[in-house]
Amino acid sequence: MTDQSVSRFGHVELADFPTDLRERITPIAEKSGFVPNVFRAMARRPAELRAFLDYHDALMEPTTDDEGTEIGLTRAERELVVVATSGANHCTYCVVAHGAILRIRTKDPTIADRVASNPYGAELSGRERAIVDLALRISLESARFGDADLDAARRAGLSDEEIWDVGAITALFGLSNRIAHLTALQPNAEFYAMGRQPRA
């Protein structure tokens, strides 16, 4: 892959982030081995990056009950929503980046490609199908969303909290996808290979 700029509006290197953001992103960079370009691009507007990270973390990190058991969508299901939404919105950055995370979380090397390229025909479990259909409806036809959509999701076993999760994640990544389009955000090369081969 040829070297490309991160964003049409430039970017900020991690060393130049405001201290609080550098401290927040450094563990992510250390775990993955690189700084995701979305952070480098959005760091030119620190207040917006802080707000984005706060809402992202509120939605993408499952809540837990008093015993520490996760409630609502699994981490993999949350990434499934992101990939379906980002595919519907033709967002290369988010499909590539979150496709990598989805492959890792599901241990399925092809699921992200199937969902992003043809979400309607992708072979999925009944629960996954309901999640993807809900994300697509909210992504593409939110003004038509109604009781029939809720009933279908409930019949598939989704709770109202899980339905809210799908809707909120879809909405956040609708925003994220559009920022990526605005900035011509380029995926890090490392994302493309992640989760495609079993770890040695």
Side-chain angles (χ1 to χ4, degrees):
M1 185 173 178
T2 58
D3 184 34
Q4 298 180 16
S5 63
V6 171
S7 159
R8 61 166 51 108
F9 293 98
H11 65 276
V12 180
E13 295 298 347
L14 184 59
D16 299 321
F17 281 28
T19 301
D20 64 309
L21 286 171
R22 187 170 61 252
E23 290 174 351
R24 192 165 181 176
I25 300 302
T26 294
I28 298 169
E30 289 174 346
K31 183 176 181 180
S32 64
F34 60 95
V35 180
N37 283 344
V38 64
F39 304 140
R40 298 168 73 204
M42 290 188 71
R44 67 187 301 275
R45 298 182 67 133
E48 292 176 33
L49 178 54
R50 289 183 189 100
F52 176 81
L53 289 169
D54 286 344
Y55 197 33
H56 175 279
D57 291 353
L59 293 177
M60 298 304 287
E61 295 293 327
T63 56
T64 56
D65 62 18
D66 294 337
E67 298 173 359
T69 304
E70 291 185 358
I71 301 169
L73 300 178
T74 67
R75 292 172 190 272
E77 288 169 343
R78 291 166 198 268
E79 295 298 337
L80 180 64
V81 174
V82 178
V83 171
T85 299
S86 300
N89 290 325
H90 310 291
C91 178
T92 302
Y93 182 88
C94 292
V95 165
V96 172
H98 289 273
I101 301 169
L102 178 59
R103 290 191 298 271
I104 291 167
R105 295 240 163 107
T106 60
K107 297 181 174 54
D108 181 340
T110 66
I111 186 170
D113 299 313
R114 298 193 318 265
V115 170
S117 62
N118 183 5
Y120 301 101
E123 185 176 336
L124 300 166
S125 71
R127 181 177 168 87
E128 290 169 338
R129 169 53 51 204
I131 288 169
V132 167
D133 286 349
L134 194 57
L136 292 171
R137 180 70 160 173
I138 296 167
S139 292
L140 300 173
E141 298 180 295
S142 62
R144 296 178 181 274
F145 180 82
D147 290 343
D149 302 291
L150 289 172
D151 290 343
R154 289 169 178 152
R155 283 195 303 272
L158 297 181
S159 69
D160 282 2
E161 292 304 310
E162 291 170 331
I163 291 168
W164 183 291
D165 284 343
V166 173
I169 293 167
T170 298
L172 174 64
F173 279 88
L175 176 149
S176 181
N177 298 158
R178 284 155 180 80
I179 291 174
H181 288 146
L182 170 70
T183 61
L185 188 60
Q186 297 300 311
N188 301 71
E190 293 90 342
F191 281 128
Y192 287 92
M194 290 169 61
R196 294 198 183 276
Q197 297 293 332
R199 290 187 177 181

